């Protein structure tokens, strides 16, 4: 056993919680989003739990210190309930899962957001530092508490910052144990960090963080887990790997809000960047963009269908640059059917089309409603050059494109119904920007996520993008493994899709450490 006290699965311990040396578990599994309050704060709620591993070298003791590395700014605390496995669990039922938990204690799942983007969801460096998983100071017998009546609180310099209970979790504690046991054996001593509620924020050198887990009804507590932040003196070596980097997105997520991070509201920021009414589009984080770039539209569309979204395809469009892939947030432009008086009042001068292309932000994709009318151009070389210069990720139109070859030479990816030499006014009046539109039979809202490749273009609601990308990548891993088996000579019957026997073989391979979702 890892612990120097024995676990009796039959008889609850009657005495007070036990103080012990810091355990050295075989593995530490941490949960991404798990509390409703945290999910609401982040603006996304997962449909199922997802996980990542932390190294055992990150274990720390109460009263210890944690270093904020030189050259970084966004070290954040996360008060969490930690479960310590008492008896081995493999494919246990939900009803039986809690009986395999030996002890409950406090944990601080510290993370360095400066390294988060480059980790791309694995959290290897951002949450794996020495001392980034302090536990304790005491271990409460799990049989003496109700798993739905545990409380976690966190203080920074004596000020209460987090206060929530396990009743506020999206996924019950027992579900996490049962779910993980489907994939690999949980051994005695293994630690499960069960996620953090709202209130996590940035800490700086000199701050003292205290975490306590208790069961008020049972009158037992882990005691306060105390960690002091110190300033590191050794900088990272850029010749060895990627360096820390932060942007407003990471600052917002580390602090908990733009206001807490000292940033202006999104509306103010957009107005400052462009002296005009801001677009309603949102930002796409570097890590999510990377996931989507790796995810084929076929896989993403399958995941959208599983979530009940069957009308997210922009039909009838193809790429001007074969083999191109586009990922970005939608900036919308709407054309209405041509009418001479309206074109006279809205088609000339600084019209909606020109305003749209002048207001593009890096990473955006201009999506144009042309009502499927391919009999005229909706984009030409001048506007394509403007979009390319401003950093647009591409253009999607269910209409035609003028100067088709010139647009292709500019290098701007465009998905359209093809070339047409006619000017805009033959069939369209440029009407509105940054409104909900229809393009190729799909409804597109400003800020929706657009992904296009050789199979076509799909629209992903922003609040589902991370979840769908993680699921699509997981499916890609599974499909790649199936392909390996087929290449080795196995028949597809029972393998594609996998029956229970093949599923068991797949589960016994080295498990993925993360679905890619950040905590």
């Amino acid at each position: 056993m890892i612990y120097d006290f024995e676990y009796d699965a039959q008889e609850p311990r009657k005495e007070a919680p036990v103080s012990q040396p810091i355990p050295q578990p075989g593995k530490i599994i941490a949960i991404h989003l798990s509390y409703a309050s945290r999910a609401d704060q982040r603006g996304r709620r997962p449909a199922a739990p997802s996980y990542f591993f932390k190294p055992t070298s990150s274990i720390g003791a109460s009263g210890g210190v944690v270093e904020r590395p030189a050259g970084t700014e966004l070290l954040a605390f996360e008060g969490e309930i930690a479960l310590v496995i008492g008896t081995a669990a493999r494919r246990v039922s939900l009803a039986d899962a809690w009986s395999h938990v030996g002890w409950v204690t406090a944990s601080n799942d510290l993370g360095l957001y400066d390294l988060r983007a480059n980790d791309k969801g694995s959290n290897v460096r951002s949450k794996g530092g020495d001392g980034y998983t302090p536990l304790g100071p005491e271990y409460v017998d799990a049989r003496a508490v109700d798993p739905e009546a545990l409380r976690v609180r966190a203080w920074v310099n004596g000020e209460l910052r987090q206060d929530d209970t396990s009743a506020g979790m999206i996924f019950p504690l027992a579900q996490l144990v049962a779910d993980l046991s489907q994939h690999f054996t949980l051994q005695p001593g293994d630690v499960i960090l069960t996620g953090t509620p709202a209130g996590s924020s940035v800490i700086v050198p000199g701050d003292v963080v205290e975490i306590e887990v208790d069961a008020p009804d049972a009158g037992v507590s882990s005691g306060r887990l105390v960690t002091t932040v110190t300033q590191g003196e050794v900088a990272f070596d850029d010749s060895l790997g990627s360096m820390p980097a932060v942007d407003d997105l990471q600052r917002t997520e580390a602090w908990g809000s733009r206001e807490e991070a000292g940033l202006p509201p999104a509306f103010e920021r957009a107005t400052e960047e462009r002296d005009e009414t801001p677009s309603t589009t949102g930002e796409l984080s570097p890590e999510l963009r990377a996931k989507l770039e790796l995810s084929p539209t076929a896989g993403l569309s399958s995941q959208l269908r599983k979530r009940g979204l069957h009308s997210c395809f922009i039909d009838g469009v193809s790429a001007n640059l074969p083999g191109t892939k586009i990922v970005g947030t939608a900036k919308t432009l709407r054309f209405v059917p041509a009418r001479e008086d309206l074109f006279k009042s809205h088609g000339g001068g600084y019209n909606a089309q020109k305003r749209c292309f002048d207001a593009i932000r890096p990473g955006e994709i201009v999506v144009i409603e042309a009502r499927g009318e391919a009999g005229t151009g909706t984009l030409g070389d001048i506007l394509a050059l403007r979009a390319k210069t401003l950093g647009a990720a591409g253009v999607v139109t269910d209409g035609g494109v003028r100067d088709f070859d010139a647009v292709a030479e500019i290098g701007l990816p465009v998905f359209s119904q093809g070339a047409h030499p006619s000017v805009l006014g033959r069939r369209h009046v440029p009407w509105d920007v940054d409104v909900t539109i229809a393009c190729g039979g799909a409804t597109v809202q400003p800020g929706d996520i657009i992904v296009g490749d050789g199979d076509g273009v799909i629209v992903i609601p922003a609040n589902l993008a991370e979840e769908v990308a993680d699921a699509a990548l997981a499916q890609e891993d599974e499909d790649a493994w199936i392909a390996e088996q087929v290449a080795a000579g196995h028949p597809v019957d029972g393998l594609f899709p996998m029956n229970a026997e093949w599923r068991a073989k797949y589960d016994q391979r080295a498990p993925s450490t993360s679905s890619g979702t950040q905590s």
Side-chain angles (χ1 to χ4, degrees), residues 432-449:
D432 211 348
V433 177
D434 291 332
V435 294
T436 299
I437 64 168
C439 182
T443 297
V444 183
Q445 294 191 296
D448 281 344
I449 308 302

Side-chain angles (χ1 to χ4, degrees), residues 64-95:
V65 299
V66 63
E67 179 183 287
R68 187 184 73 176
T72 64
E73 63 173 277
L74 299 179
L75 178 66
F77 74 91
E78 295 182 8
E80 303 196 11
I81 299 168
L83 310 182
V84 182
I85 297 300
T87 58
R90 175 64 170 144
R91 296 195 178 97
V92 300
S93 67
L94 181 61

Side-chain angles (χ1 to χ4, degrees), residues 389-470:
T389 301
L390 291 177
V395 173
V396 177
T397 173
D398 60 354
V401 175
R402 285 186 83 214
D403 309 313
F404 192 90
D405 292 340
V407 171
E409 288 179 10
I410 289 169
L412 179 71
V414 177
F415 284 74
S416 72
Q417 292 216 50
H420 199 282
S422 179
V423 296
L424 181 72
R426 179 170 184 254
R427 298 289 174 86
H428 303 298
V429 179
W431 196 255
D432 211 348
V433 177
D434 291 332
V435 294
T436 299
I437 64 168
C439 182
T443 297
V444 183
Q445 294 191 296
D448 281 344
I449 308 302
I450 306 298
V451 182
D453 60 18
D455 283 342
V457 180
I458 61 173
V459 183
I460 306 174
N463 65 314
L464 289 178
E466 187 117 32
E467 176 186 331
V468 167
D470 288 339

Side-chain angles (χ1 to χ4, degrees), residues 117-422:
N118 287 333
D119 270 354
K120 294 181 171 58
S122 70
N123 292 336
V124 168
R125 294 166 299 177
S126 60
K127 283 181 170 286
D130 290 351
Y132 277 31
T133 314
L135 296 169
E138 299 182 329
Y139 295 84
V140 175
D141 190 336
R143 294 155 298 180
V145 299
D146 178 352
E148 296 186 2
L150 292 169
R151 178 174 62 175
V152 58
R153 291 179 292 174
W155 296 262
V156 177
N157 302 326
E159 178 184 352
L160 184 64
R161 297 288 188 88
Q162 291 182 294
D163 187 351
D164 211 332
T165 70
S166 53
M169 298 182 74
I170 302 169
F171 313 110
L173 294 173
Q175 179 182 343
L176 303 179
V177 177
D179 183 29
L180 288 167
S181 79
Q182 294 188 100
H183 303 286
F184 45 76
T185 300
L186 296 170
Q187 299 284 5
D190 285 351
V191 173
I192 303 174
L193 306 182
T194 62
T196 197
S200 164
S201 192
V202 172
I203 46 179
V204 299
D207 283 348
V208 177
V209 183
E210 299 172 274
I211 313 291
E212 180 183 17
V213 169
D214 66 349
D217 293 344
V220 292
S221 168
S222 68
R224 292 199 181 186
L225 171 68
V226 181
T227 305
T228 301
V229 184
T230 62
Q231 178 60 58
E233 301 298 329
V234 180
F236 292 104
D237 185 345
D238 62 2
S239 69
L240 299 177
S242 58
M243 295 293 285
V246 298
D247 56 19
D248 286 355
L249 172 66
Q250 298 302 343
R251 292 187 178 96
T252 299
E253 297 225 329
W255 283 94
S257 69
R258 293 184 62 85
E259 181 180 10
E260 289 294 321
L263 299 169
F267 184 94
E268 280 183 37
R269 181 189 59 171
T271 306
E272 290 167 0
E273 291 176 353
R274 301 194 309 264
D275 188 18
E276 58 182 53
T277 302
S279 166
T280 57
T281 55
E283 293 181 355
L284 190 59
S285 68
E287 60 268 33
L288 179 53
R289 182 181 294 277
K291 292 180 191 177
L292 292 169
E293 287 173 347
L294 292 172
S295 303
T297 57
L300 293 168
S301 66
S302 294
Q303 296 304 322
L304 287 170
R305 288 198 303 273
K306 288 180 181 180
R307 289 156 178 80
L309 295 171
H310 303 281
S311 303
C312 292
F313 311 98
I314 296 179
D315 294 328
V317 300
S318 58
N320 65 336
L321 301 172
T324 193
K325 177 75 175 276
I326 58 169
V327 175
T329 52
K331 181 174 184 62
T332 59
L333 171 61
R334 181 185 176 215
F335 296 145
V336 298
R339 204 175 91 181
E340 289 77 6
D341 60 327
L342 294 180
F343 193 85
K344 184 176 181 179
S345 60
H346 289 76
Y350 197 48
N351 61 31
Q353 183 191 43
K354 294 175 182 177
R355 295 198 305 273
C356 174
F357 278 82
D358 264 352
I360 292 170
R361 293 168 62 185
E364 288 184 326
I365 293 174
V366 178
V367 184
I368 302 172
E369 175 183 336
R371 308 175 314 285
E373 175 56 72
T376 187
T378 57
L379 170 74
D381 58 349
I382 298 300
L383 292 182
L385 181 59
R386 180 61 172 155
K388 177 74 171 178
T389 301
L390 291 177
V395 173
V396 177
T397 173
D398 60 354
V401 175
R402 285 186 83 214
D403 309 313
F404 192 90
D405 292 340
V407 171
E409 288 179 10
I410 289 169
L412 179 71
V414 177
F415 284 74
S416 72
Q417 292 216 50
H420 199 282
S422 179

Side-chain angles (χ1 to χ4, degrees), residues 466-483:
E466 187 117 32
E467 176 186 331
V468 167
D470 288 339
L473 289 174
Q475 186 63 54
E476 281 295 293
D477 288 342
E478 184 174 307
D479 289 348
W481 185 82
I482 291 172

